[in-house]
Structures are given as C-alpha cells and as structure tokens.
Amino acid sequence: MSGHAAKPFRLAALMLVMMQTTLLLAAEQPEYPTDQQSGLIMAPGWQLVAGQCTGCHSARFITSQSGDRETWESMIRWMQKTQGLWQLPAEVETTILDYLADNYPPGKPSRRANLPVYLLPN
Ligand code: HEC
C-alpha cells in the first residue's frame, strides 16, 4: 500500500523538474551567432580565443568542453605545463577565461563530462 500512496507525489516532482529544465533551456537560447569556420560562439573575446587557441588543435576541443573558470584555467595550466602552450599576457588570459567561463559553462550539453585535470595525461 505504501508504494501506491507515493506515486502522485513523485509524478508532481517529476513535472516540476521537467518544467525547470524547460525554463533553463529557454534561458540558454544563444545570444550570439556561431562562427561558421571555427564553431566558436561569437561573444566578446572570441577572436582572441580563435587566435590563441586554435593553432595546435581545432576549436572543437573547446566547443565540446565545458567548465567553470577554475576548470578552464586548469586546462590552460595543463597545456602550458605539458603541451607547449605559451604564457599568455595577463589581460589576454583574463579575456579568454571570461569568454570560456561565460560561453562554455558547466552543464552545457557537450560531448561528455569534463575529465578532471588530475585524470589528464601529463
Ligand atoms: C601549443 C599548442 C596548444 C595551444 C596553443 C592550445 N592548446 Fe589546447 N591542447 C593542446 C594539446 C596538445 C591538447 C591535447 C590534445 C589531445 O588530447 O590529443 C590540448 C587539449 C585541449 C583541450 C581538451 C581537453 C580535454 O580533456 O578534452 C581543450 C579544451 C583545450 N586544449 C583548450 C585550449 C584553449 C582554451 C586554448 C587557448 C588558451 C588552447 N587549448 C591552446 C595544445 C594546445
């Protein structure tokens, strides 16, 4: 008997979650067009990212990732330590991190969840 009593409540909870998801998706409508060539969102700073971040690999590495500012910063540190990425001037790095954290935040649909930095190859 107990299992049946809980059902309507569970249904209501499920509907709430679905409504929230719809609202979240509506709020994430893209404000900026996407660059046809690189696939980058053309928000402020994108040209800097295109210039600094697509010399070694395609911008798809970026557009398929997501993370908060710290996650993006640790990816940059990892590339600097192990992949030959150069030092970025402070204000360039700030613009790039602002752009990445704003446009590719955690939870945006992406290819897969982030690998934590400690799982990346050294
Ligand atoms: C000097 C070369 C170089 C530059 C410049 C460079 N990267 Fe990378 N990046 C790499 C290499 C090498 C990899 C690893 C490729 C692989 O896994 O095969 C990588 C991987 C990545 C990944 C994938 C990490 C993952 O787990 O999927 C992201 C995201 C990334 N880079 C973002 C950036 C950003 C943002 C910039 C600009 C600040 C940048 N890269 C500039 C060399 C570079």
Side-chain angles (χ1 to χ4, degrees), residues 49 52-57 61-62 64-65 72 75-76 78-79 83-86 88 96 100 111-112 114-115 120-121:
V49 172
Q52 296 287 320
C53 304
T54 60
C56 302
H57 50 68
F61 274 66
I62 298 163
S64 61
Q65 272 291 355
W72 282 109
M75 284 191 238
I76 289 179
W78 169 78
M79 281 179 285
Q83 309 298 325
L85 173 61
W86 43 85
L88 300 161
I96 288 177
L100 294 171
R111 167 181 56 116
R112 57 160 169 76
N114 279 337
L115 275 184
L120 292 173

Side-chain angles (χ1 to χ4, degrees), residues 56-120:
C56 302
H57 50 68
S58 130
R60 290 213 49 175
F61 274 66
I62 298 163
T63 57
S64 61
Q65 272 291 355
S66 58
D68 57 18
R69 204 183 170 82
E70 268 175 41
T71 307
W72 282 109
E73 186 176 345
S74 53
M75 284 191 238
I76 289 179
R77 296 289 170 265
W78 169 78
M79 281 179 285
Q80 287 172 332
K81 218 167 64 177
T82 63
Q83 309 298 325
L85 173 61
W86 43 85
Q87 282 306 118
L88 300 161
E91 67 285 1
V92 170
E93 188 173 284
T94 301
T95 305
I96 288 177
L97 283 174
D98 286 346
Y99 170 88
L100 294 171
D102 283 356
N103 294 287
Y104 302 96
K108 258 207 161 176
S110 79
R111 167 181 56 116
R112 57 160 169 76
N114 279 337
L115 275 184
V117 162
Y118 64 83
L119 287 181
L120 292 173

